[in-house]
Amino acid sequence: MIRIGRYNDLPVLSQLPRGLQLDGGRYGEILLPKQYLTGDEQVGDVLRVFIYCDSEDRLIATTETPKVQVGEFAYLNVVDESRHGCFLDWGLPKDLFVPFSEQKQTLQKGRQALVRVYLDDSNRIAASARIDRFLQDTDDSCQFKQGEEVTIVAADKSDLGLKVIVNGTHWGLIYTTDLFEPLKRGETRQAYIKRVREDQKLEISLRPLGFAKVEGLAAEVLQKLKDEKGFIAISDKSSPEAIKRVFKCSKNAYKQAIGNLYKQKLIKIEKDGIHLV
């Protein structure tokens, strides 16, 4: 089954002067234009290609890499406007269309927009800036567990911190006190479920939880000591601001990390800072 707007592995049926004809199953033959060929392709080869629609809404294959696929979120540049909507640069020759009905506020050329790519009722690829309708605010199925690693996309700031998209299905929140490093809107990275609240809303942490967090941070402190010739002028008495500036963590996490190193007799904790043993 062909997945429009995603990568597919398709066999080569025939070679033509304009490119290769690929087996698109019930969609028929799909052209891979010759500008994407290396010259080594043969009939019977299976090629990994991205399938989308050309300017005449015909399915076409490409070996180019789009910035986003159907079902995914991305922060894209608005490159043109029309009376029906606007167009985004998603890395392919035909720009990505956002209908007016899928805009929370009018998107303007030269700006950026956080969107989700989807297939409309006619199997045409489009994007929506109304991302709330693709996400759940709570996890009724309890599919997430505390400490679980997830993929997040940075979305919008709130009074409490930063709203993020979790695994492309749910909203989550990183509290301001847990934002130890800046995240740009649309940035994708790995994070962790800090807590599934009683109302099933998700709290997110940028660092692993529990001992794994302490262990990872302890390694960072140890490496910093080695880089600084065995001494750092930051102890368990230092201000939270100083600790956050250097290690991008809370004072409590830092104290746990150096406590771990102290128990292993790797460091000495003095008034002026910590020393490598």
Side-chain angles (χ1 to χ4, degrees), residues 40 58 71 88 109 114 120 141 171 184 204 217 220 254:
D40 297 326
R58 299 172 300 189
L88 309 176
K109 183 177 179 180
L114 181 63
D120 67 15
S141 65
W171 280 116
K184 295 180 180 179
I204 306 299
L217 181 56
E220 292 180 30
Y254 181 72

Side-chain angles (χ1 to χ4, degrees), residues 75-89 96 98-100 102-115 129 185:
Y75 197 45
L76 303 174
N77 292 321
V78 181
V79 294
D80 204 359
E81 300 174 49
S82 77
R83 60 178 180 170
H84 301 294
C86 70
F87 296 89
L88 309 176
D89 174 17
L96 184 61
V98 185
F100 276 128
E102 296 296 332
Q103 299 179 30
K104 291 193 297 185
Q105 54 190 24
T106 302
L107 301 177
Q108 298 178 332
K109 183 177 179 180
R111 306 294 292 272
Q112 291 181 303
L114 181 63
V115 297
R185 194 172 191 227

Side-chain angles (χ1 to χ4, degrees), residues 211-226:
F211 186 72
K213 177 181 68 174
V214 175
E215 199 171 48
L217 181 56
E220 292 180 30
V221 174
L222 201 58
Q223 185 60 52
K224 183 72 172 176
L225 278 166
K226 293 176 180 178

Side-chain angles (χ1 to χ4, degrees), residues 137-140 142 175 195-203:
D137 197 35
T138 61
D139 180 32
D140 296 331
C142 295
Y175 286 107
R195 185 165 74 105
V196 181
R197 295 180 358 189
E198 290 185 4
D199 60 5
Q200 301 302 306
K201 292 187 177 182
L202 303 176
E203 296 178 5

Side-chain angles (χ1 to χ4, degrees), residues 166-216:
V166 182
N167 283 359
T169 59
H170 289 72
W171 280 116
L173 177 69
I174 304 176
Y175 286 107
T176 301
T177 52
D178 291 328
L179 278 171
F180 301 126
E181 55 188 282
L183 290 182
K184 295 180 180 179
R185 194 172 191 227
E187 182 177 343
T188 300
R189 61 164 295 165
Q190 298 306 112
Y192 303 87
I193 301 296
K194 180 179 180 181
R195 185 165 74 105
V196 181
R197 295 180 358 189
E198 290 185 4
D199 60 5
Q200 301 302 306
K201 292 187 177 182
L202 303 176
E203 296 178 5
I204 306 299
S205 169
L206 295 178
R207 291 183 179 273
L209 307 186
F211 186 72
K213 177 181 68 174
V214 175
E215 199 171 48

